[in-house]
Amino acid sequence: MKYTLNFLLLLGVLFVAGCGEEDYEFGEILAPTNLELTTDILGQDDNNPNGDGSGQVTFVAKADDAITYQFSFSDGTTEIAPSGRLTKRFTQVGLNTYGVTVVASGTAGVASTLTTEVTVNSTFSDEEAFAFLTGDGTKTWYWAADEPGHLGVGQNDGNVEANYFANYYQAVPFEKDGAGESLCLYQDELVFSNQDGRLFFELNNGGQTYFNTAYQGVAGGSAGFDFCYDFEVSDDPQLVNFSPSESVVVDNGVAGQTRGTQMTFTDGGFMSYYIGQSTYEILSITENRLVVRAVQENNAELAWYHIFSSTKPEPGGGGNVDDTDYTTLVWSDEFNTDGAPDPSKWGYNTGTGNNGWGNGESQYYTDRPDNVAVENGNLRITLKKENFSGQEYTSSRIVTENKYEFTYGRIDIRAQLPEGGGTWPALWMLGEDYATNTWPGCGEIDIMEHVGNQQNTLFSSLHLPGNSGGNAVTQRTTVPTISSEFHVFSAIWSPETIRFFVDDELYHTFANDASLPFNDDFFLIFNVAIGGNFGGQIDPAFVESSMLVDYVRVYQ
């Protein structure tokens, strides 16, 4: 048996003043009247007047001339219910009384309100998960970026064989370090705290959030793909409520697929990657690892999976143990003869490469001395702001294609990089069969990439089928003097691994094997680009900057 409590509106009606002769735009302005609120506490009977402990309450609001209803609760949550019907689960453990305010809105924004209270018993708790999340009182969590599948998506339906894991897509380790549009993700800090026995959450996003493309409008964006947008999050801790999970994974009834606890973040809180959702199901949790699942708010067919760690992973680990080194110098250019680069060693790629070399870049590559020359013991590649063949910038791109190509070895390049917003210098290698084995099938090894919009950050990447462009296998490190001093950028490339160094410090290891495109001849490419999908926004004040290369040496 259940009891129904009825509350009749005996309160004042709030009116929004019209605008005189402009009232006709709204037609007749009608304030909702006869507002009623019906409250049904699940499991309520003579023995359990405050419910069965689930904390679940169904509210039904009705009013004449109402268009929509908004419910506000004293636990800090607010919900919109156009039909007036709302089911809510109160999760504070114990017997608690909550304030409830319903606002019925009519034409032109006029509204009527009703306020009451409801007392509900909730017995659900997950003390272990609470303790894991908060540690000794406050605990910070990070993306487990070193784990495969730390970000993933899968189906959300009744298929018990596939609806509990990311079967559509799983990010590879440090994948989102691969391009400027996603770099903000791994910087996020998710802070949970125990405040007087209640769970609170803060997202420290550094001013940017990684948005699912379906929600780019929330951030005022238009990239058309997942992107890091400037986005302010609340400075105030947000209450997090526990409740029993209500998902297809729970319905599977298979032990070990879910913990059975879901977290609901108040005030629109979310766990780093923006998918329009504030409710996350805890699939598993330990002292140092958290796995959650959330259904994309505007697409109920998709479930996203996040893996977090209480220790922030750092690039540089992974791969096979490999101490291979190469010590016999087989090819080099010391750039000791002034003039054009040695034509026996270097050729040029000129022009725009068909729409910005495939990356939306803004430069025109030339072989002019203004853009490329050897002088004072260095190769100089200069990026300049000037109108040339329909482009606003000029630069140069030199290659060893058909002059020197090799498989495996140690490559050392001593260079000082340009600076300026939008600049994008690179020292890299491309598979020589690219004409017949189209990119990324031919493979690409980026020994050094840098972008002026992230001045002190050095990147190294591998592009291959399944991991290319913004999805490349990338890691990064910090080099504070990257544009003011020379540094040695190195790669040791063997059949087992490709390892990347700066000034002999290892920071990235990639496991190579015979199935990958990194076991045939490659050639060297040196260039300085500007703009594009990694270079990013160009500083309008940019005029000119150069990359200087002291030497390049190949050992086998």
Side-chain angles (χ1 to χ4, degrees), residues 1 3 13 28 56 71 79 108 145 163 166 214 269 290 292-293 358 448 451 547:
M1 180 174 69
Y3 290 100
V13 177
E28 185 179 5
Q56 184 169 307
F71 292 84
E79 300 283 350
N163 64 14
L290 169 65
V292 299
R293 179 184 191 271
M448 182 289 301
V451 290
M547 175 170 70

Side-chain angles (χ1 to χ4, degrees), residues 238-300:
Q238 297 165 307
L239 180 67
V240 181
N241 294 311
F242 280 166
S243 59
S245 298
E246 300 171 345
S247 71
V248 296
V249 183
V250 172
D251 294 341
N252 290 346
V254 179
Q257 289 184 353
T258 179
R259 186 179 181 87
T261 297
Q262 71 181 22
M263 300 183 289
T264 300
F265 297 72
T266 60
D267 300 323
F270 60 98
M271 298 185 75
S272 182
Y273 178 53
Y274 196 99
I275 55 171
Q277 184 59 267
S278 293
T279 297
Y280 297 80
E281 179 177 7
I282 299 176
L283 298 184
S284 64
I285 186 171
T286 65
E287 186 175 355
N288 53 26
R289 188 173 185 268
L290 169 65
V291 184
V292 299
R293 179 184 191 271
V295 176
Q296 185 166 316
E297 191 274 338
N298 66 354
N299 188 347

Side-chain angles (χ1 to χ4, degrees), residues 195-461:
Q195 299 184 23
D196 298 323
R198 305 178 78 187
L199 182 62
F200 283 84
F201 170 79
E202 294 177 78
L203 173 62
N204 298 328
N205 75 340
Q208 287 195 320
T209 283
Y210 191 44
F211 273 78
N212 181 283
T213 185
Y215 291 94
Q216 63 184 12
V218 174
S222 59
F225 46 86
D226 288 11
F227 196 86
C228 286
Y229 293 108
D230 292 342
F231 190 70
E232 293 186 6
V233 295
S234 175
D235 292 331
D236 298 323
Q238 297 165 307
L239 180 67
V240 181
N241 294 311
F242 280 166
S243 59
S245 298
E246 300 171 345
S247 71
V248 296
V249 183
V250 172
D251 294 341
N252 290 346
V254 179
Q257 289 184 353
T258 179
R259 186 179 181 87
T261 297
Q262 71 181 22
M263 300 183 289
T264 300
F265 297 72
T266 60
D267 300 323
F270 60 98
M271 298 185 75
S272 182
Y273 178 53
Y274 196 99
I275 55 171
Q277 184 59 267
S278 293
T279 297
Y280 297 80
E281 179 177 7
I282 299 176
L283 298 184
S284 64
I285 186 171
T286 65
E287 186 175 355
N288 53 26
R289 188 173 185 268
L290 169 65
V291 184
V292 299
R293 179 184 191 271
V295 176
Q296 185 166 316
E297 191 274 338
N298 66 354
N299 188 347
E301 296 180 356
L302 297 179
W304 288 88
Y305 297 81
H306 304 344
I307 304 176
F308 299 101
S309 171
S310 60
T311 301
K312 187 173 184 178
E314 295 295 339
N320 298 330
V321 176
D322 180 18
D323 58 1
T324 301
D325 201 357
Y326 302 91
T327 58
T328 301
L329 183 65
V330 295
W331 185 92
S332 69
D333 197 335
E334 303 295 325
F335 302 113
N336 287 331
T337 303
D338 286 359
D342 185 342
S344 70
K345 297 179 178 179
W346 300 98
Y348 303 88
N349 293 150
T350 58
T352 60
N354 187 19
N355 190 28
W357 299 96
N359 301 307
E361 301 160 23
S362 299
Q363 76 286 340
Y364 190 102
Y365 286 134
T366 82
D367 58 2
R368 303 178 307 162
D370 282 355
N371 295 116
V372 58
V374 176
E375 55 192 26
N376 302 319
N378 296 312
L379 169 71
R380 171 184 53 79
I381 297 179
T382 300
L383 174 67
K384 302 181 67 173
K385 185 174 184 178
E386 59 175 336
N387 292 321
F388 191 94
S389 294
Q391 298 295 103
E392 295 183 25
Y393 304 88
T394 61
S395 184
S396 194
R397 170 166 156 155
I398 63 173
V399 301
T400 66
E401 183 180 10
N402 298 323
K403 298 177 185 290
Y404 183 68
E405 298 166 348
F406 64 103
T407 304
Y408 308 138
R410 177 183 179 118
I411 307 97
D412 289 342
I413 307 169
R414 186 172 186 263
Q416 179 178 314
L417 306 186
E419 59 185 342
T423 58
W424 180 6
L427 305 167
W428 55 295
M429 301 192 297
L430 187 67
E432 61 83 23
D433 63 345
Y434 70 93
T436 56
N437 186 14
T438 55
W439 186 92
C442 61
E444 176 181 328
I445 303 172
D446 297 331
I447 301 170
M448 182 289 301
E449 282 190 293
H450 172 260
V451 290
N453 287 317
Q454 299 175 62
Q455 176 54 41
N456 297 324
T457 304
L458 164 67
F459 301 89
S460 58
S461 301

